[in-house]
Amino acid sequence: AVMFDRMQARARAKRPDPDVRPALGKALVNAMARSLVLPVVRHLPVPMTQLLVGKETAKNIGLAQHASWLIRCLFTALRYLVAAVDALGRLFSPKFSISRMMTRVMGYHLLTQLLMSQTRPLALPEKVLKNLHQTIAQWGDDPKAHTWLNRLEDQLTTQGPWHAIRAELPQPHHH
């Protein structure tokens, strides 16, 4: 948190000219929305990002727009539903967390679709790709989760050890 606050203060102290942050923020939210399968939840990345980064940062990255009342209500209802399921599950098992599993599933799909897919215009260097593959491979099973939650997570991500979806990755070009 301290490091994040320092990064934020530094970024606010010296605004870039031209300021590309709003375009990058909108591009990220649009990419997250495209990665969501259900159309009804495609508008959730804006309120989710606003919650995670705070109002001031959301404004700085061009995400100060308000979501419709329906989306805000849906987002709030989902947050409370997940918190209630976690609280209920922890009555029976202290390590139960559906929210952690959902975060891991979303993180897996965002990493593999946004960062690992080399079909987008900005290709990552091989060294960065290697590090991302190694990082994803370490996340295969959640040691804090029950076996059945890890199996459910496997159904929503990939079976066994995590890995990026390599079918999307073209062979590197040598010049």
Side-chain angles (χ1 to χ4, degrees):
V2 170
M3 205 161 143
F4 183 74
D5 290 342
R6 281 189 208 148
M7 289 172 21
Q8 293 298 313
R10 184 176 174 197
R12 287 186 187 105
K14 185 179 177 186
R15 295 199 177 257
D17 185 30
D19 191 353
V20 297
R21 295 174 302 171
L24 291 172
K26 288 177 184 174
L28 176 61
V29 167
N30 289 337
M32 285 191 293
R34 283 191 306 274
S35 73
L36 296 172
V37 180
L38 297 173
V40 71
V41 295
R42 286 207 176 123
H43 299 284
L44 294 182
V46 170
M48 181 180 66
T49 303
Q50 290 170 338
L51 174 73
L52 292 173
V53 302
K55 289 182 181 181
E56 188 176 358
T57 299
K59 181 180 172 189
N60 290 339
I61 63 172
L63 299 178
Q65 74 266 29
H66 294 284
S68 72
W69 69 269
L70 179 62
I71 294 301
R72 287 193 317 265
C73 287
L74 177 63
F75 180 70
T76 302
L78 286 173
R79 285 183 51 218
Y80 284 112
L81 176 64
V82 167
V85 169
D86 273 355
L88 182 63
R90 287 191 185 116
L91 291 175
F92 303 98
S93 174
K95 62 183 185 176
F96 179 85
S97 179
I98 200 78
S99 60
R100 189 174 61 243
M101 188 217 38
M102 290 172 57
T103 302
R104 288 171 50 85
V105 168
M106 288 188 304
Y108 173 83
H109 287 287
L110 287 173
L111 274 176
T112 58
Q113 292 177 12
L114 298 179
L115 296 178
M116 303 301 290
S117 171
Q118 294 294 281
T119 60
R120 68 192 189 296
L122 179 62
L124 294 174
E126 188 60 37
K127 183 177 181 179
V128 173
L129 280 175
K130 181 179 178 188
N131 288 339
L132 285 173
H133 280 281
Q134 290 171 344
T135 300
I136 289 172
Q138 293 173 2
W139 293 346
D141 275 330
D142 181 358
K144 296 179 182 179
H146 289 279
T147 303
W148 71 269
L149 269 176
N150 274 316
R151 284 191 184 124
L152 177 59
E153 188 177 285
D154 281 350
Q155 295 299 315
L156 299 170
T157 56
T158 186
Q159 297 290 321
W162 281 17
H163 58 278
I165 302 164
R166 293 189 181 269
E168 298 178 16
L169 303 176
Q171 297 301 314
H173 298 287
H174 299 284
H175 298 282

